[in-house]
């Protein structure tokens, strides 16, 4: 309404000037005042209505009110045909008809959304023009009268289409509002569900970390006690029992180390050390260690010799292939396993083939999820924890190597790992694995060792084991007892559990003991934690880190290394990862 006020005033004023004759000196000014007054009132009324709340309960009354106002407005405009129309002037006749036709056409855009309002405006405006033309009793004007009637019905048809389009647009707007509201509700539900899933996942991780830590303590002590027992005089029967006990302990440790590998990947504390190296020694090492497992199941284990040199992290690549081969052996009951490497388009593809149960297409991505296993509803521990492939995928992503699988159910599977080629094998480098030290081969370690651990059974087992290695070992269950002991008995080495009582850490204990001594005492941290945050904290301390359960061989080697290198000792990512 507001946008039509000024044009109405201008058009009415111009018509008053152009159509003025001695015969309409009184009627035309009254018409002009009526048109402008009607439009001004309509604008004022529209603003009044919009200031209030327009609810559905007002629709009927508003429609009737608008019909009344526009009937008056249409009649005011139609009065132009009676006050300003001059049959004797062609120019006059054309101007009046053109103006009234234009006004009613313009009204369509404003009034047609409510069709009865538009219709009543047309009836009064065009009706006045049609009646005036008919009343002149001439063929030409009566023809004009009928043409106005036809024009009226044409406008109504167009107005109906316009009303439908406007109603559809309004309905679409409300539909969109409803859709947005529904999407917002669904988004809130999804956000709440995601939050709940994240909380459940955090709870799972906390539970696994806590359970893993609590399980590692006694298994760690058990391994140390079994080592002490192995050094004592035993008969053949007792040694057989001891061998079985050590096998059971190693199996438990193996599962816990698998959880540790997974937690270390989640924590992001593994750093790849890329180098060039020959592949064949790695393949030979894996065959010598894993072929006996395949032979025990009646499977054929084959490795194709390779002269290729790869660029990767030697230890991490070994762990990936080891997990793939172990997985192949576990899920193959007849036939065999083949490990091969072929050169393709500037890179090498390591392949592990098996003739096992195969993997359905819909499961070929799921198998890389943690704790996901095929064909093991009873959770047979001989089939592992369902983490091997998840660890392999995580390490492959860390190294930037693509790991894929192709499989046919009942026919077997092939896992492919794409690894960049090296220009030539490295001439030197760390060995793939340090040889295990047998008890008779160990040299005595004449060291004063302070062990800090809040678990009594771990303290006892460590004291027994280290005493057997020639160490003078003292133990403390916390930081304050350790500081008091070190004030009169200065240790040559500190071995501390990472998590101590009262939310304190072994890294804190080592720092305080070094500050008290005035120099950097060689030290080792041992942790049973697998929580990602704890692993990151322990690594950030800069002290060499071992993970419970720690084998006596690994502990002995680490003590020799730290003794030789002092506080600068550190461990690389490959040594920190457990290789079965």
């Amino acid at each position: 309404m507001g946008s039509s006020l000024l044009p109405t005033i201008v058009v009415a004023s111009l018509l008053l000037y152009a159509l003025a004759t001695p015969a309409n000196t009184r009627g035309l000014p009254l018409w002009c005042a009526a048109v402008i007054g009607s439009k001004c009132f309509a604008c004022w009324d529209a603003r009044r209505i919009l200031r209030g709340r327009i609810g559905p309960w007002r629709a009927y009354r508003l429609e009737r009110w608008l019909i009344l106002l526009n009937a008056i407005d249409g009649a005011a405009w139609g009065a132009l045909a009676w006050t300003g129309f001059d049959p004797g002037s062609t120019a006059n006749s054309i101007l009046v008809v053109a103006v009234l036709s234009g006004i009613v056409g313009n009204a369509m855009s404003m009034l047609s959304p409510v069709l009865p309002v538009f219709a009543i405006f047309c009836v009064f405006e065009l009706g006045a023009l049609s009646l005036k033309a008919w009343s002149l009793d001439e063929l030409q004007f009566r023809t004009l009268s009928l043409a106005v009637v036809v024009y009226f019905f044409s406008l109504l048809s167009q107005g109906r289409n316009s009303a439908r389009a406007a109603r559809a647009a309004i309905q679409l707007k409300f539909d969109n509002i409803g859709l947005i509201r529904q999407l917002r509700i669904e988004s809130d539900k999804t956000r709440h569900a995601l939050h709940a899933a994240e909380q459940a996942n955090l709870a799972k991780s906390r539970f696994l970390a806590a359970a893993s830590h609590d399980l590692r303590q006694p298994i760690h002590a058990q391994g140390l006690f079994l080592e002490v027992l192995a050094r004592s005089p035993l008969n053949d029967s007792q040694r057989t029992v001891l061998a079985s006990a050590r096998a059971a302990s190693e199996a438990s440790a193996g599962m816990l180390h698998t959880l540790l590998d997974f937690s270390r990947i989640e924590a992001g504390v593994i750093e790849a050390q890329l180098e060039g190296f020959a592949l064949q020694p790695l393949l030979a090492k894996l065959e010598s260690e894993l072929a006996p497992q395949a032979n025990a199941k009646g499977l054929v284990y084959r490795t194709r010799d390779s002269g290729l040199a790869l660029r990767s992290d030697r230890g991490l690549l070994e762990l990936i292939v080891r997990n793939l081969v172990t997985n192949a052996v576990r899920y193959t009951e007849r036939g065999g396993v083949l490990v091969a490497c072929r050169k393709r388009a500037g890179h090498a593809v390591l392949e592990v083939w098996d003739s096992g149960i195969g993997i359905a297409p819909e499961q070929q991505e799921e198998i890389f999820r943690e704790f996901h296993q095929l064909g093991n509803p009873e959770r047979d521990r001989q089939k592992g924890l369902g983490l091997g492939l998840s660890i392999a995928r995580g390490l492959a992503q860390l190294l930037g190597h693509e790991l894929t699988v192709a499989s046919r159910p009942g026919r077997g599977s092939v896992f492919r790992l794409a690894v960049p080629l090296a220009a030539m094998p490295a001439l030197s480098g760390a060995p793939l694995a340090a040889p295990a030290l047998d008890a008779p081969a160990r040299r005595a370690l004449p060291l004063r060792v302070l062990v800090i651990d809040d678990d009594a059974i771990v303290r006892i087992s460590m004291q027994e084991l280290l005493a057997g290695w020639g160490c003078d070992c003292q133990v403390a269950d916390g930081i304050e007892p350790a500081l008091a002991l070190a004030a009169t008995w200065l240790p040559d080495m500190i071995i501390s559990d990472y998590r101590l009582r009262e939310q304190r850490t072994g890294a804190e204990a080592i720092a305080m003991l070094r500050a008290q001594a005035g120099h950097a005492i060689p030290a080792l941290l041992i942790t049973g934690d697998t929580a990602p945050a704890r692993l990151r904290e322990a690594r950030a301390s800069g002290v060499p880190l071992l993970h419970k359960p720690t084998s006596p061989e690994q502990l002995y080697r680490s003590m020799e290394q730290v003794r030789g290198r002092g506080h600068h000792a550190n461990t690389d990512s490959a040594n920190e990862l457990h290789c079965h």
Side-chain angles (χ1 to χ4, degrees), residues 226-537:
L226 289 174
E227 175 66 15
V228 173
L229 183 60
R231 301 175 64 89
S232 61
L234 300 172
N235 59 38
D236 292 342
S237 176
Q238 290 169 331
R239 289 195 177 278
T240 301
V241 174
L242 176 61
S244 299
R246 293 180 84 168
S249 177
E250 288 171 2
S252 300
M255 291 187 179
L256 289 174
H257 281 308
T258 300
L259 285 171
L260 173 63
D261 292 345
F262 177 71
S263 297
R264 285 171 51 75
I265 294 171
E266 278 196 329
V269 298
I270 303 173
E271 294 180 2
Q273 304 294 328
L274 301 181
E275 59 177 339
F277 58 90
L279 174 63
Q280 184 56 36
L282 185 149
L283 297 179
K285 179 176 185 288
L286 291 174
E287 181 174 8
S288 66
E289 294 180 11
L290 299 178
Q293 298 180 19
N295 294 337
K297 293 185 67 175
L299 304 175
V300 177
Y301 187 108
R302 291 179 55 203
T303 301
R304 286 183 183 169
D305 293 343
S306 175
L308 296 176
L310 308 183
R311 179 168 179 77
S312 184
D313 184 298
R314 192 188 309 238
L316 299 183
L317 183 67
E318 177 187 342
L319 184 56
I320 294 173
V321 181
R322 183 185 297 275
N323 280 332
L324 295 178
V325 174
T326 301
N327 185 75
V329 172
R330 279 179 181 153
Y331 288 94
T332 302
E333 298 301 327
R334 62 180 182 275
V337 175
L338 171 65
V339 182
C341 185
R342 60 185 71 188
K343 185 176 179 180
R344 285 185 180 173
H347 63 273
V349 179
L350 268 166
E351 299 178 337
V352 178
W353 295 77
D354 68 66
S355 56
I357 62 174
I359 308 163
E362 64 273 11
Q363 290 286 332
Q364 290 181 12
E365 191 61 31
E366 295 295 308
I367 58 172
F368 292 105
R369 289 194 299 109
E370 61 270 21
F371 305 107
H372 185 85
Q373 289 182 302
L374 299 177
N376 189 23
E378 67 279 5
R379 303 302 297 180
D380 181 3
R381 73 173 181 85
Q382 297 296 328
K383 294 183 178 180
L385 298 173
L387 286 175
L389 293 180
S390 177
I391 291 171
R393 170 64 68 84
L395 292 176
Q397 291 175 343
L398 173 68
L399 293 169
H401 304 342
E402 183 182 12
L403 177 61
T404 58
V405 61
S407 182
R408 293 177 61 185
R411 299 292 298 275
S413 307
V414 55
F415 289 84
R416 294 186 174 93
L417 181 68
V419 185
L421 288 166
M424 59 183 298
L427 298 178
S428 63
L432 289 176
L437 295 174
D438 297 327
R442 296 195 187 101
R443 298 186 301 273
L445 294 174
L447 299 172
R448 302 173 75 174
V449 182
L450 174 57
V451 174
I452 308 173
D453 201 300
D454 55 8
D455 192 301
I457 194 170
V458 173
R459 294 197 301 271
I460 295 171
S461 62
M462 287 286 287
Q463 198 166 25
E464 291 280 346
L465 181 67
L466 295 178
W469 292 348
C471 299
D472 178 9
C473 180
Q474 297 292 327
V475 297
D477 63 357
I479 294 179
E480 281 69 24
L483 290 170
L485 182 60
T488 57
W489 182 83
L490 186 63
D492 300 316
M493 184 178 294
I494 304 166
I495 301 177
S496 177
D497 187 24
Y498 182 74
R499 183 196 290 185
L500 301 175
R501 293 193 181 102
E502 299 176 353
Q503 303 297 316
R504 306 181 80 177
T505 68
E508 182 182 351
I510 291 169
M512 295 176 70
L513 286 166
R514 286 174 171 176
Q516 179 175 283
H519 67 278
I521 304 172
L524 285 171
L525 279 173
I526 303 182
T527 183
D529 258 307
T530 59
R534 290 281 189 172
L535 292 176
R536 285 191 288 267
E537 291 173 8

Side-chain angles (χ1 to χ4, degrees), residues 74-75 77-78 99-101 103-104 120-129:
W77 276 105
V99 167
L100 294 181
S101 299
I103 292 297
V104 78
I120 202 68
F121 180 85
C122 292
V123 166
F124 277 87
E125 197 226 51
L126 295 179
L129 176 61

